[in-house]
Amino acid sequence: MRQGPGRDLAQELLAMAAEDEAVRAELVADGSLFDGYHSRMAEVHRRNATRLDAIIDAHGWPGRVLVGEDASRAAFVVLQHAIGSPAVMRRGLPLVQAAAMDGDVDPVQVAMLEDRILSFEGKPQRYGTQFDWDEDGLLNPLPIADPADVDARRRAVRLDSLAENVARIRANALRDGHQRPENPAARHEAAASWARSVGWRT
C-alpha cells in the first residue's frame, strides 16, 4: 500500500477529479453544461487548479511514482480542466513532458495538454484532440497544423486515427445531449473573447 505523502496526495487528487466529474454529470443531466462555461464548473476548475499549483510547488508533478496510476491520471484531469488558469496549465506542460520522458505519465497526456493550450491560444493544434462545432454545424477538430501527418503524430503517442476520434467524439456528444449551437460564429467569438479575458490571448 502506498504510504506517507504519496498516499494522502493520491486520495486528495482522486477526490478533486471525482468532484469535477460529479458536477459535470449533474450539469449534463439538467442540460446546462453546454450553455457556455457554467459558473459551477468554472468554480470547481479554479479551486482545483489553485490546489494543484500548490501540490506542484511542494512535490513537483504528481506522477505514477509518487501517487500511483489512478491518482496521476486524476492530476492530469485537473490540469486539463484548469482552463480558467492559463498560468497553471502552461506551468504544467513542461512538467508533464518531462514526466513522460521518464515514463512517469502516459505520453497521450502530453499530446492532449499541448493541443488544449495551443487551441486556447488561438493556434493550430498538433494531434487533433480538441473539438468544436464548425460553421456547417458539425463537431470537428479545431485547426490542425500539418494535417496530412496528424495520424502519424497520433500513432507516435498511441492515439487512434483522427477519423476514429471524430466518430467517438460525435457519438459522445450525442449521448450527452450536446447539440449544435444556433449560431456557431457567435459561439466562436464568445470563446475567443473569454480566452482573452482570462489571459490565453492578447
Side-chain angles (χ1 to χ4, degrees):
M1 179 181 294
R2 192 169 300 280
Q3 299 295 323
R7 181 187 59 188
D8 294 340
L9 277 178
Q11 292 173 344
E12 183 176 9
L13 288 164
L14 289 167
M16 291 160 68
E19 181 189 16
D20 185 311
E21 182 178 358
V23 171
R24 184 186 188 281
E26 288 179 25
L27 300 178
V28 167
D30 70 19
S32 64
L33 180 69
F34 306 114
D35 297 333
Y37 191 21
H38 197 286
S39 60
R40 282 189 63 202
M41 200 79 263
E43 170 56 28
V44 171
H45 291 167
R46 281 193 298 268
R47 181 165 17 90
N48 282 352
T50 298
R51 178 55 186 147
L52 181 63
D53 204 34
I55 289 171
I56 292 170
D57 282 340
H59 302 281
W61 183 253
R64 293 162 169 158
V65 171
L66 178 61
V67 297
E69 181 69 41
D70 291 344
S72 178
R73 192 179 303 113
F76 173 72
V77 168
V78 170
L79 181 62
Q80 188 79 337
H81 291 181
I83 62 175
S85 306
V88 176
M89 289 186 72
R90 288 172 172 144
R91 180 189 189 189
L93 179 58
L95 300 178
V96 174
Q97 288 171 327
M101 292 290 291
D102 292 336
D104 204 24
V105 303
D106 190 328
V108 168
Q109 295 178 4
V110 177
M112 294 179 67
L113 182 59
E114 185 177 345
D115 272 4
R116 178 156 287 197
I117 289 172
L118 287 169
S119 295
F120 277 126
E121 290 175 343
K123 301 171 184 175
Q125 57 181 327
R126 298 189 65 236
Y127 299 91
T129 65
Q130 304 301 296
F131 280 66
D132 202 355
W133 299 93
D134 66 18
E135 298 305 322
D136 295 321
L138 296 173
L139 195 55
N140 270 319
L142 291 167
I144 299 171
D146 191 16
D149 289 332
V150 66
D151 277 339
R153 292 193 295 275
R154 291 177 65 87
R155 284 193 299 271
V157 295
R158 300 193 299 275
L159 284 167
D160 57 4
S161 72
L162 185 61
E164 290 171 310
N165 194 38
V166 169
R168 183 173 58 253
I169 292 292
R170 289 177 177 174
N172 289 346
L174 182 64
R175 179 200 64 202
D176 291 343
H178 190 186
Q179 299 179 351
R180 175 190 184 277
E182 292 184 6
N183 189 335
R187 172 187 168 89
H188 296 162
E189 179 50 42
S193 177
W194 174 84
R196 290 189 293 269
S197 75
V198 298
W200 283 115
R201 309 180 194 180
T202 56

